[in-house]
Amino acid sequence: MSVFTMGEAEREAVLVPELAALTERHREACPPYRRILDAIGAAGPYERLVDLPWLPVRLFKTHELRSVPPEQVFRVLTSSGTTGQRPSRVCLDRDAAAAQTRMLAATLRVVLGERRLPMLVVDSRAVVRDPTLSARGAGVLGMMNFGRDHTFVLDEQGRVDAEAVKGFLARHGGERFLIFGFTFMVWRCLRDLGADLSQGVLIHSGGWKRLAEQAVDNAEFRRRLAAECGLSRVHNFYGMVEQIGTVFLEGPDADGLYCPDFANVVIRDPETWQEAPPGVPGLIEVVSTLPTSYPGHVLLTEDLGVVRGVDDGAWPGRRFEVLGRLPQAESRGCSDTVGQG
């Protein structure tokens, strides 16, 4: 069953009451969140997605925001952070953890199918052995749930293991298989393999900044992989630990990122905070019904994006593009109220 079925009007009608109810649930259960809502005068009713109160995503780096008692916290996820920066901390109870796993699977099933596919991991096995489990390692481990016969493209020293790839393709090269890696790793490692990856389905994310410095955009990335590896089924995705389980997936026509039925995006003008119309860049706000154990259901990110179209692509709903990070992004005003009261 696809999770890319709802047009924009239906999605708005379904999501607004669900997200409004989540807002009140978190208001009752999370005192710091309640103080924020009181400080900004957020009282509802909320008639549209753009009316819902948002939190700046960086609050999860500086404050513990949870809507369940400490004894119900089943897992604490941490984000990657640049050197000297505190990582985000996201608290999941068992229900939230189960829901995010289930909905991530439902999202990826649209392009991977029902069966676990043989899997090439464009990384080293060492990345998943790190006891502190970096975001990269966590991402690899999470995606390994969707594959079998996991084969790592890099050896323990981070060098391309051509023999391992050759063996994998001897076993599975004639059938559909899954390739996962972070974008910059895929670009660096796959093109020089000289291997036929034409049966592969590539899922990748992150690392665009390094490619932009080499003047490589999404179109060039796809063109070169098709020409040099035979890879034509390629899906970028956008997601974050603060809304774990929600991924915005690139459609089959490479015309943008699409929102699953339980999520959406709003693009906001960074000066006025009003919604920017399609075609006009702004800050990406992500909404999702999955964060039930912490108030992460409406988050303003520090990424710039633009809506490229609505109900006019391969899948219904909004399709958008991520343009990069807002330099030294900081949404001030909300975090000052968290510690009060």
Side-chain angles (χ1 to χ4, degrees):
M1 188 182 72
S2 176
V3 293
F4 295 96
T5 66
M6 287 190 192
E8 189 59 25
E10 181 187 4
R11 185 187 306 258
E12 180 104 354
V14 169
L15 287 183
V16 169
E18 287 192 35
L19 291 165
L22 262 182
T23 299
E24 295 312 306
R25 169 177 170 169
H26 292 310
R27 185 199 294 268
E28 291 300 315
C30 180
Y33 182 65
R34 184 186 319 136
R35 288 195 285 273
I36 293 170
L37 296 188
D38 291 347
I40 63 177
Y46 310 110
E47 297 180 358
R48 302 178 305 152
L49 282 180
V50 295
D51 299 331
L52 290 156
W54 45 262
L55 291 183
V57 73
R58 68 168 47 216
L59 269 186
F60 289 90
K61 296 183 185 299
T62 56
H63 297 81
E64 182 176 86
L65 299 171
R66 55 176 168 78
S67 301
V68 293
E71 62 272 14
Q72 289 183 20
V73 174
F74 169 64
R75 182 176 297 146
V76 178
L77 302 173
T78 58
S79 68
S80 59
T82 55
T83 305
Q85 190 182 61
R86 289 175 63 179
S88 292
R89 290 175 55 82
V90 174
C91 299
L92 300 179
D93 63 4
R94 288 186 180 276
D95 288 345
Q100 60 94 0
T101 301
R102 186 172 64 251
M103 298 318 292
L104 176 61
T107 303
L108 294 177
R109 200 175 293 131
V110 175
V111 295
L112 296 180
E114 297 290 336
R115 293 186 306 115
R116 286 191 179 194
L117 299 177
M119 184 175 182
L120 266 183
V121 181
V122 190
D123 218 314
S124 163
R125 190 176 293 276
V127 78
V128 298
R129 288 212 196 100
D130 181 355
T132 60
L133 203 59
S134 66
R136 189 166 123 198
V140 169
L141 268 182
M143 282 298 301
M144 285 173 68
N145 291 322
F146 302 102
R148 60 183 174 84
D149 192 14
H150 307 102
T151 301
F152 289 80
V153 173
L154 304 183
D155 65 17
E156 297 281 347
Q157 285 72 46
R159 297 174 304 223
V160 172
D161 189 343
E163 287 303 308
V165 175
K166 184 177 176 181
F168 176 89
L169 292 175
R171 296 191 300 276
H172 305 296
E175 60 182 323
R176 220 157 60 98
F177 59 90
L178 167 62
I179 307 171
F180 173 72
F182 290 88
T183 306
F184 70 95
M185 300 281 288
V186 169
W187 178 256
R188 181 168 67 86
C189 301
L190 289 192
R191 292 178 305 121
D192 297 329
L193 277 175
D196 177 8
L197 303 177
S198 56
Q199 295 302 309
V201 181
L202 171 64
I203 307 288
H204 70 102
S205 184
W208 280 109
K209 182 180 178 184
R210 299 190 197 188
L211 269 65
E213 292 166 356
Q214 302 174 41
V216 177
D217 61 9
N218 191 35
E220 175 69 0
F221 179 86
R222 295 175 67 95
R223 187 189 70 78
R224 292 278 293 275
L225 285 177
E228 297 174 26
C229 310
L231 257 179
S232 58
R233 286 172 289 191
V234 176
H235 297 273
N236 184 24
F237 73 86
Y238 175 68
M240 62 203 67
V241 73
E242 293 86 359
Q243 256 185 24
I244 195 73
T246 304
V247 296
F248 301 90
L249 192 62
E250 186 175 34
D253 300 332
D255 56 356
L257 299 160
Y258 286 82
C259 310
D261 291 343
F262 52 89
N264 211 340
V265 295
V266 174
I267 305 297
R268 290 194 183 271
D269 183 306
E271 298 293 330
T272 67
W273 304 121
Q274 299 302 305
E275 183 176 18
V280 177
L283 278 175
I284 300 171
E285 174 188 304
V286 289
V287 305
S288 170
T289 60
L290 294 189
T292 53
S293 58
Y294 65 99
H297 56 306
V298 187
L299 297 178
L300 190 72
T301 74
E302 297 175 349
D303 296 317
L304 290 168
V306 60
V307 172
R308 293 299 187 198
V310 181
D311 294 333
D312 63 350
W315 297 332
R318 297 186 179 195
R319 56 184 180 86
F320 69 101
E321 180 183 354
V322 179
L323 302 175
R325 301 279 285 180
L326 187 69
Q328 297 182 325
E330 183 172 7
S331 301
R332 291 177 291 276
C334 291
S335 59
D336 298 336
T337 67
V338 178
Q340 297 173 5

